[in-house]
Structure formats: C-alpha cells, structure tokens
Amino acid sequence: MAAKKPTRKTKPVKKVVKKKAVVKKVTLAKAPFKITKLKLVRPVPSDIDIAQASNIKHISLVAEELGIRPDELELYGPYKAKIKLEILERLKNRPDGKYIDVTAITPTPLGEGKTTTTVGLSQALGAHLGKKVITAIRQPSQGPTFGIKGGAAGGGYSQIIPMEDFNLHLTGDIHAITASHNLVAAALDARVMHEKQQDDTKLFNALCPLDKKGKRKFSPAMLRRLKKLGINKTDPNELTTEEQSRFARLDIDEATINWRRVVDINDRFLREVQVGLGKDEAGFEHRSGYDITVASEIMAVLALTTGIEDMRERFGKMIVATNKRGEAITVEDLGVAGAVTVLMKDAIKPNLMQTLEGTPATVHAGPFANIAHGQSSIIADKIALKLVGKDGYVVTESGFGADIGMEKFFDIKCRYSGLTPHVVVMVATVRALKMHGGGPKVVAGKPLATEYTDENLELLKNGLPNLERHIQNATKFGVKVIVAINSFATDTEAEVELIRKASIEFGALDAVKCTHWADGGNGTKKLAEAVIKAAEQKSEFKFLYPLEISIKEKIETIARAIYRADGVDYSPEAEEQIERYTRLGFSDLPICMAKTHLSFTTDATKKGAPTGFRISVREIRASVGAGFLYPILGDMRTMPGLPTRPAFYDIDLDMESGKVLGLF
C-alpha cells in the first residue's frame, strides 16, 4: 500500500488566522497581508510533496488582503476563485503598479526555471520586502503535463498552489476553449455540406424557418451578417431573391479552409486526419487535422481581449476560410460567434490563486509560446496592476526564450494592452550556457553529462554569446534588464561570477545569483532589490516595428533584428497567403512567429548565437480575431507528440488519502 502523503494544512479565514502568533504582518491592503512561513526541508522534496504539505490560505483571505470585495469573487472551492471583470470599473482611477516581465535565454529541453524565478521573485517582493505584488502567469496545457516537459506551477519552494489544480483542470477554461473551437469546426463542415445539398431558396428557408405563427425572424448573428453585407433590412420577408442568396450562401472555397479541430493532449496521430467517413456524410470526405487546444485562436483571443464586448467582436472576426470570390468567411458569417461567447463567458474571468508564501497570483490563459504568443491575459494583468497600485509590482512571464516570448510580449501583448513594461528579468543558467558553448546534448529524462555538473569555465565562456544576444535584444526595446542566475547545487561560485560580470558587460543593469528553488523568496531577495531599483528608472519602451510596413518587412525585421538571420525564404504557399492577406486588408496586423524555442534559428540543433543562416516560412495563418498573423517557420508543429516514456507513467491517485501522486 502506498505511503500516506502529508496532509495539506489550510489557513482558515481571517477570524481564526488572527489568533496565530507566528504569522508576521505587513500592512498592504484593507486586511493585513499574512505571510505563509516556509518550513524548508533538506534535501528538497518533490514539488508535489512540498505543495501538499503547504500551509495554504483560504482563497477568500487572499482576496481580502488584495482589497477584492466578496461580490467581485466567484469561489471554486476553498483554494481558487475567479475575479469578476466589474472590478476594473471600480478601480479605474487607481494608478497602475510596476510591470515586470520574466524571460530567459535559449533554454535546454529541461527548461531553465523561468516560472520558478517568476514565483520566487514575487515571494521575495511580497513576503520579504513588504511590497504589494501579484504573480500573473499562464495556465499550462495538459499536453506537457502528461508529456515530457512537466507542469508550469514553478518548483521547489517557489510554486503556485494548489499545484495539482494549477496543472490540471483548474476552473475549466481550457476545456471551454476546446468545446468552443470544435463547435466552430462542426458548424463549418456542416455548412459546407448543407450548401451543397440545397438551392438558394431551400437554404434561406432552412436558415429562417416559419415559427408557429407563420412568421420568420433573423437571429442576432444573422443581423450582424446582414449589416456586413450592407443589407439594411430586419424582416426576412423583405429580402429580394438576390439578397436572400447573398445572405444564405457562404459559397466557401474548401481549398482555403484553415480551421482545424483541437484537443488538449499531445496526440501526434491526429495531426492529419480524414473526416466525413460516416455513411450519412458520403461524398463530403476531406482531410483535416488537430492542433493542441492552447494553439487555438480562441485561446489567443482570451489572452489578448480587454473585455466581454471586445471578446465577442474578436470571435466574430475569426476567419475560417474565404469564399470563391476571395472574400473572408468569418465565425460571424457561420452564425456561431454568439454561442462561442456564451461558452467562454466564465473563462474570461481571471483565476486567483496563491504562492507557497501566501502572495497572490492570477492564472489566466495559456497560449503556447512557440506556436502562439505565449502570454497570460491582458485582463489579468490590468486587474493586477490596479490591485497593487502605484507602489506595487506585477510580475508576469513570457513563454520560452526571449527571442520568442519576450518579443511577442512587447510587439503583440503590450501593443494591444497599452501597458508599458518597466523591467525585463532574464533568466540564465550555467547548464544552458554550457550547452550553448558546445556541451553534450541535454535530453529530458536522462542524467546530465559531467560537463554540466563539474566546473568548466571555458565551456561556459563559449556559451555566453547566447546571453549577450538576448540582453541586446531586450535593450533594443528600451527596457532595463536584470539577469537572474538560476543557480543549481552543482554550480560553482566561479561559474556564477563569470555570468554576473559578463551580463553587466553585455548591457544588463545587474545580475544576481538566485536560489529560490531551494530557499523560496529569501533566495531571490537580492534579485527583488535589483528589480525595485531598476523599476525606479525611466523606461523608454518602443516597439520593434511599425504596423504600417508590409507583412514581409515585419517578418524580416524580426528575423534579422532578433534572430540575426541573413534573410527569409518563403514557400509558394506562404507567398500566396501573403498576397491574399494583403488584399483582404490584414497587412497591418503584428506578426507572431511560430518557431522552435531551442535555437535562434529554425533548426533546434543550432545552439549558441549562430550567424550565416536564413529563416524559412512554410505557411502563414491569419488570426484576425486575436489580431495577428503567424508565420510557421521550418518544421514547427502545431500538435506536439508523446515521447516513449511520458510523464503520465508517474501520475496516479493514492486510494487511501485521495492525494495525487507523481505530479513532478
């Protein structure tokens, strides 16, 4: 029988907490902030053992400490809640806090501890320096959770808790996206089939049937389509035969359909599929495929929207194909945008959680960083910045390396939010820099070579150009950079000092050794002090490119300025798509590169700071509702696959205690 896991200790609500003399108080909000004191264990236990032994507050207490009113909160059990969007109206005149983005150098396949650093920094700011702070991060996909990368709640003594909830269903937002996306796919295929089976009159009559009183009426979605067509009529009986045809027949060019299906697991065998094989669909068979849910445009909309009305409009603008005249066919044209909004009406509310040291966290949206734009939501950040106020800090995170996540954070997220970042924290590790210096291949699940565990200053020095390039890229945006050296037990002081000195030479304001995985917020206290100092300096933030230049010019600006490529090559398909999107009026959208996170190039094996290469664009997809175009570079896939030995082998349930086992 499996051994019992430690029982999580729950901090009750305010009345009982006041009786605890061991709790340190720092007055920050209407209720004094209660620090959750860590009990550090050596050797450091597994992430889930630490999380399940944590002294966790009731989520209503976390909300009260922030100044969130009870009527602005929707509880999902004792440890998580959603924040209602109405809070933005109440706080609209409150100044924003400081906005900090955590990014990283080009990582190894193991990841370099970006989320752990984000959480550790927040714990240091709130629990050790008395600052009002909120951690604002993404919700992870179940793909990596059950695959090979693991979860994204942080690690060691710098985690978001409950980590089981964080890494699994949370409040169902990703499931809502899956259902919404696949509803659009079903509507699209059904519409193509029905249009082929019916003439214009039958099609119109089917769309606008007679009710019990013998009358017809347009639905709200239909009225929106009529307005788009310039037909200013609200009575179906008033439409001419020609207007009925224009309204009812979308006339979709099946060769241009770009809306696939999604599922939130790594299922490589769904990358390409044949659909319509049932007997009732004979004659309508066609190729399709699945992407992972977090690559859905609906996820991208959730991350970039600014409110429920804006979200409804963005859903309506999402393009599924073009018609045979070359005009865009949208989700609004399909009549399903309103239903998608209904499915997403709760998902738009940010989720409130907490760190191991009791500081608050918002967890909202989770677009993949190398496929989509890799950021948590604008709404969560806006709420957080108002809640912390002008003397507070919001620490958010950009997915993967700075060449992907940070660039998209600046050029896409900040462009739509209007928020100005104050500081970039660049996470670096001895391990990753040694890999970039020519070290042996790093493989998840296999022991590291001795080059990574023994001191090797020459190998480390050879990898520093990767760090230099990332720092240079950040400073191009006019933002101050602090390097966080995420230090492991095998790192030597000489190795850490080499990175520290080089970072400052490369243009960082400071570089600080961090031990937050083992020590919690106390291990990032010096990093927090450096961030506070940097945030006090004036930011001269600027975008990398203007929106007015052409699609190719924007792609090539990113390729040359951020990746240092010599140029860009386009497939015939990409050339045709660029021409089509320009003709349709989408050329003024920002660019979201879909690229491997393991190299500046499109070849994951090319480490360091390579030069003398070109970028290949395989295809370009239009996420008009989200508000960007995303070129797919090289062999980048939108559906990951499972390895031979996935993480799910270790995950189980303790039948006696009910605890989740083996989740990292």
Side-chain angles (χ1 to χ4, degrees):
M1 182 178 293
K4 287 188 177 181
K5 291 293 176 180
T7 302
R8 175 175 283 140
K9 301 173 184 177
T10 304
K11 278 191 178 179
V13 290
K14 184 177 179 182
K15 186 187 295 183
V16 180
V17 172
K18 275 189 170 182
K19 296 179 181 178
K20 292 195 174 184
V22 296
V23 176
K24 183 180 175 183
K25 295 184 179 180
V26 182
T27 302
L28 295 173
K30 290 185 178 180
F33 170 60
K34 313 295 191 304
I35 296 170
T36 303
K37 199 170 182 62
L38 293 176
K39 294 181 181 178
L40 303 178
V41 177
R42 298 293 186 265
V44 177
S46 69
D47 291 350
I48 195 164
D49 283 349
I50 291 172
Q52 290 179 342
S54 64
N55 198 10
I56 189 168
K57 302 177 189 178
H58 196 285
I59 198 65
S60 61
L61 178 58
V62 177
E64 185 182 358
E65 291 169 352
L66 274 175
I68 300 174
R69 296 174 179 174
D71 63 349
E72 294 168 335
L73 204 66
E74 292 180 359
L75 296 178
Y76 280 69
Y79 309 128
K80 55 190 176 183
K82 279 190 170 291
I83 305 171
K84 296 181 181 178
L85 304 192
E86 289 81 356
I87 196 172
L88 281 171
E89 177 62 24
R90 178 170 69 84
L91 301 178
K92 64 182 179 181
N93 295 323
R94 181 181 292 183
D96 288 345
K98 298 292 194 298
Y99 200 28
I100 314 301
D101 180 48
V102 179
T103 186
I105 63 171
T106 306
T108 68
L110 306 177
E112 306 319 304
K114 194 165 64 276
T115 305
T116 307
T117 304
T118 301
V119 176
L121 172 58
S122 296
Q123 292 180 160
L125 287 166
H128 296 268
L129 298 179
K131 300 296 183 181
K132 199 167 183 184
V133 64
I134 294 177
T135 312
I137 56 179
R138 292 177 293 163
Q139 179 185 353
S141 164
Q142 289 180 163
T145 296
F146 292 119
I148 196 167
K149 186 175 183 293
Y157 288 101
S158 294
Q159 293 188 54
I160 304 294
I161 53 175
M163 68 94 77
E164 309 99 307
D165 294 13
F166 182 102
N167 285 302
L168 298 172
H169 306 285
L170 197 53
T171 56
D173 296 348
I174 293 180
H175 299 314
I177 292 165
T178 302
S180 301
H181 185 106
N182 291 337
L183 176 61
V184 174
L188 174 60
D189 281 347
R191 186 59 174 263
V192 171
M193 183 184 75
H194 290 309
E195 287 196 13
K196 286 184 175 180
Q197 292 176 327
Q198 301 173 69
D199 62 27
D200 291 351
T201 301
K202 287 183 178 179
L203 191 60
F204 179 78
N205 289 338
L207 290 171
C208 301
L210 294 171
D211 62 19
K212 292 180 180 180
K213 296 181 180 179
K215 295 184 178 181
R216 304 178 191 273
K217 65 177 182 179
F218 290 123
S219 70
M222 291 175 176
L223 292 172
R224 287 173 179 257
R225 172 159 169 78
L226 288 167
K227 184 178 180 180
K228 173 183 173 180
L229 296 173
I231 301 174
N232 299 313
K233 296 177 182 178
T234 58
D235 184 350
N237 296 316
E238 293 181 359
L239 267 62
T240 66
T241 302
E242 188 271 336
E243 288 171 339
Q244 289 181 5
S245 177
R246 287 179 58 212
F247 162 77
R249 190 163 297 281
L250 300 182
D251 204 23
I252 293 169
D253 180 353
E254 295 173 63
T256 66
I257 289 176
N258 56 30
W259 195 271
R260 292 151 59 92
R261 287 162 172 79
V262 298
V263 64
D264 194 42
I265 53 173
N266 292 353
D267 194 341
R268 66 175 72 242
F269 285 92
L270 292 179
R271 287 171 178 165
E272 297 293 332
V273 299
Q274 187 84 354
V275 299
L277 300 181
K279 65 177 182 178
D280 293 335
E281 293 73 42
F284 298 99
E285 306 92 340
H286 61 276
R287 288 181 66 84
S288 185
Y290 278 75
D291 298 329
I292 195 160
T293 296
V294 288
S296 168
E297 184 174 356
I298 294 175
M299 173 64 87
V301 169
L302 179 65
L304 292 173
T305 191
T306 54
I308 192 73
E309 291 181 3
D310 176 70
M311 185 174 73
R312 172 64 178 81
E313 292 301 315
R314 287 175 179 267
F315 286 156
K317 292 178 181 177
M318 295 188 301
I319 294 175
V320 297
T322 58
N323 63 20
K324 293 174 183 176
R325 296 183 298 279
E327 299 163 338
I329 299 298
T330 66
V331 172
E332 196 72 76
D333 293 322
L334 287 173
V336 74
V340 169
T341 307
V342 170
L343 286 173
M344 293 293 294
K345 68 180 178 62
D346 293 319
I348 194 175
K349 302 167 191 172
N351 303 295
L352 180 65
M353 299 184 77
Q354 64 190 286
T355 70
L356 284 169
E357 297 193 58
T359 59
T362 56
V363 181
H364 199 216
F368 257 22
N370 51 0
I371 298 172
H373 61 292
Q375 316 295 326
S376 59
S377 77
I378 287 175
I379 284 179
D381 288 3
K382 281 181 173 286
I383 291 173
L385 286 163
K386 293 298 182 187
L387 284 169
V388 301
K390 66 181 180 67
D391 297 322
Y393 296 81
V394 171
V395 183
T396 189
E397 171 193 348
S398 297
F400 290 131
D403 58 316
I404 300 178
M406 183 197 70
E407 186 272 320
K408 295 173 183 178
F409 174 76
F410 290 152
D411 280 322
I412 299 175
K413 185 176 181 180
C414 290
R415 202 184 291 269
Y416 283 119
S417 70
L419 300 173
T420 302
H422 293 80
V423 180
V424 163
V425 174
M426 185 76 65
V427 179
T429 62
V430 169
R431 175 181 68 194
L433 290 171
K434 284 181 175 179
M435 178 192 71
H436 290 299
K441 187 176 182 180
V442 176
V443 180
K446 293 186 178 181
L448 288 171
T450 56
E451 286 87 343
Y452 297 108
T453 55
D454 297 340
E455 183 176 287
N456 191 324
L457 296 178
E458 189 63 27
L459 193 62
L460 178 61
K461 185 178 179 181
N462 291 340
L464 288 174
N466 184 272
L467 173 61
E468 179 180 22
R469 182 172 294 181
H470 282 296
I471 292 173
Q472 289 174 348
N473 286 347
T475 57
K476 284 180 181 180
F477 292 90
V479 181
K480 304 296 186 293
V481 179
I482 303 294
V483 173
I485 307 169
N486 185 18
S487 185
F488 301 153
T490 55
D491 299 343
T492 69
E493 288 302 316
E495 289 173 329
V496 171
E497 182 62 14
L498 177 60
I499 298 173
R500 193 193 69 79
K501 287 183 177 180
S503 298
I504 296 171
E505 290 175 6
F506 297 155
L509 283 185
D510 204 349
V512 183
K513 177 182 176 180
C514 301
T515 59
H516 44 281
W517 181 81
D519 300 320
N522 194 49
T524 43
K525 190 173 177 181
K526 289 184 178 180
L527 174 66
E529 291 169 344
V531 167
I532 291 170
K533 185 177 179 181
E536 291 171 351
Q537 298 189 28
K538 185 178 179 181
S539 176
E540 298 176 349
F541 176 69
K542 56 182 179 293
F543 299 117
L544 184 67
Y545 54 81
L547 293 179
E548 294 75 22
I549 61 177
S550 70
I551 294 172
K552 280 190 174 182
E553 287 175 309
K554 282 180 277 200
I555 292 172
E556 289 164 18
T557 296
I558 296 170
R560 293 178 186 275
I562 301 298
Y563 311 152
R564 306 302 201 279
D566 291 341
V568 181
D569 300 316
Y570 303 89
S571 71
E573 182 181 6
E575 292 279 8
E576 185 277 327
Q577 289 162 334
I578 289 171
E579 185 280 325
R580 187 198 318 162
Y581 298 149
T582 301
R583 173 173 48 80
L584 291 170
F586 306 149
S587 63
D588 60 348
L589 293 175
I591 298 297
C592 181
M593 296 286 218
K595 184 183 79 71
T596 178
H597 60 289
L598 297 173
S599 174
F600 277 108
T601 75
T602 56
D603 182 351
T605 66
K606 303 294 184 184
K607 305 301 181 182
T611 58
F613 64 92
R614 296 179 67 83
I615 294 293
S616 60
V617 177
R618 190 175 84 232
E619 63 174 296
I620 302 176
R621 299 182 185 178
S623 292
V624 178
F628 55 73
L629 304 177
Y630 66 106
I632 298 179
L633 309 185
D635 296 326
M636 189 66 229
R637 299 183 188 274
T638 51
M639 169 59 84
L642 288 172
T644 304
R645 210 286 189 184
F648 61 64
Y649 273 93
D650 300 311
I651 300 171
D652 213 322
L653 196 67
D654 187 316
M655 297 303 164
E656 187 172 327
S657 67
K659 297 288 186 182
V660 174
L661 306 175
L663 196 63
F664 328 119

